Amino acid sequence: MQPVSLREKFAQFQEHWSPKTVGELNGQAVRLVKFQGEFVWHHHEDEDEMFLVVQGRFRMDFRDHACWLSEGEFLIVPRGVEHRPVADEEVHVLLFEPVTTINTGNAGGDLTAPTTHL
Amino acid sequence: MQPVSLREKFAQFQEHWSPKTVGELNGQAVRLVKFQGEFVWHHHEDEDEMFLVVQGRFRMDFRDHACWLSEGEFLIVPRGVEHRPVADEEVHVLLFEPVTTINTGNAGGDLTAPTTHL
């Protein structure tokens, strides 16, 4: 039961698209991830997902529109909704999602990352 | 499914100790609250609670120790653990907790706030 510094945790990894679990509560995970480039289109069958921008900005693509998220903004993507994060420059994002959530959802593929803890 | 600005939401209320729900996912609520002064000792029987400081700093008292949280730091208080937030100056905090969570937990009393949405 210790305070966790987002800045310190983000400093501990460099890779993109590979969420790191930094806390768990009520069956949910708090994960930190760095985005850069274009991710894969996917959805999560049973999991809603929240994206909170800690530093930088990115675009979330949906099949019928897109929206930009900047530092201090969050977005909740409900289960079943196809989405694709795209970041022209590196962005630091905090995720809230069930511990069972896999980053690529239904899509799988090379960008699927193991769940690791920091 | 729209981005939510923490800054804009915090600007919409002034009262202390009264969490505002700004998002829900997976049975969990994202709530914003302003602390100032000393809260009541309490615990939550069945709910873990996360505190993320968005602006300012506060102290979390436990029965056997205390810790300080500053901007960009978070703390998870497991269910059953007695705690009391204390803020010398106003602090802006994001809570992540089950939607069923009542701010004063087992303690009740005058500081119990209704669940309101922003």
Side-chain angles (χ1 to χ4, degrees), chain A residues 4 6 26 48 72 74 79, chain B residues 4 6 26 48 72-74 79:
Chain A
V4 175
L6 299 180
N26 306 301
D48 311 321
F74 73 83
R79 60 196 67 189
Chain B
V4 175
L6 299 182
N26 307 300
D48 311 322
E73 294 181 334
F74 73 83
R79 60 195 70 190

Side-chain angles (χ1 to χ4, degrees), chain A residues 23-112:
Chain A
E24 291 187 5
L25 69 165
N26 306 301
Q28 314 295 308
V30 183
R31 292 178 173 145
L32 303 184
V33 62
K34 295 180 179 182
F35 294 160
Q36 187 165 9
E38 186 176 289
F39 200 56
V40 61
W41 279 106
H42 69 286
H43 70 271
H44 305 279
E45 207 62 58
D46 299 308
E47 293 121 337
D48 311 321
E49 197 171 23
M50 174 170 160
F51 300 78
L52 171 64
V53 177
V54 177
Q55 185 184 299
R57 64 199 286 264
F58 76 101
R59 190 184 77 229
M60 186 67 86
D61 288 345
F62 300 100
R63 287 299 187 183
D64 58 355
H65 72 292
C67 62
W68 282 92
L69 275 99
S70 298
E71 189 171 320
E73 294 181 333
F74 73 83
L75 179 70
I76 294 172
V77 179
R79 60 196 67 189
V81 174
E82 278 197 298
H83 57 285
R84 178 179 65 173
V86 179
D88 296 333
E89 298 183 359
E90 185 177 85
V91 58
H92 296 187
V93 177
L94 182 153
L95 304 172
F96 283 129
E97 57 191 18
V99 294
T100 50
T101 309
I102 303 297
N103 67 331
T104 52
N106 69 307
D110 291 348
L111 289 171
T112 304

Side-chain angles (χ1 to χ4, degrees), chain B:
Chain B
M1 206 163 52
Q2 289 294 320
V4 175
S5 160
L6 299 182
R7 188 177 50 76
E8 287 178 16
K9 291 293 186 185
F10 274 115
Q12 290 175 30
F13 67 99
Q14 300 303 325
E15 64 269 51
H16 299 134
W17 307 117
S18 181
K20 310 299 182 194
T21 301
V22 293
E24 291 186 4
L25 69 164
N26 307 300
Q28 314 295 308
V30 182
R31 293 179 173 145
L32 303 183
V33 62
K34 296 181 178 181
F35 293 161
Q36 187 165 9
E38 186 177 288
F39 201 55
V40 61
W41 280 106
H42 68 287
H43 70 272
H44 305 280
E45 207 62 56
D46 300 309
E47 293 120 339
D48 311 322
E49 197 170 22
M50 173 169 162
F51 300 78
L52 170 64
V53 178
V54 176
Q55 185 184 301
R57 64 198 287 265
F58 78 101
R59 190 182 79 229
M60 186 68 86
D61 289 344
F62 300 101
R63 287 299 187 182
D64 58 355
H65 72 292
C67 61
W68 283 93
L69 276 101
S70 297
E71 190 172 320
E73 294 181 334
F74 73 83
L75 179 70
I76 294 172
V77 179
R79 60 195 70 190
V81 174
E82 278 196 296
H83 58 285
R84 177 180 66 172
V86 178
D88 297 332
E89 297 183 359
E90 185 178 86
V91 58
H92 296 187
V93 177
L94 182 153
L95 303 174
F96 190 55
E97 59 190 17
V99 294
T100 51
T101 309
I102 304 296
N103 67 330
T104 52
N106 67 308
D110 291 349
L111 289 171
T112 303
T115 303
T116 55
H117 288 68
L118 263 193

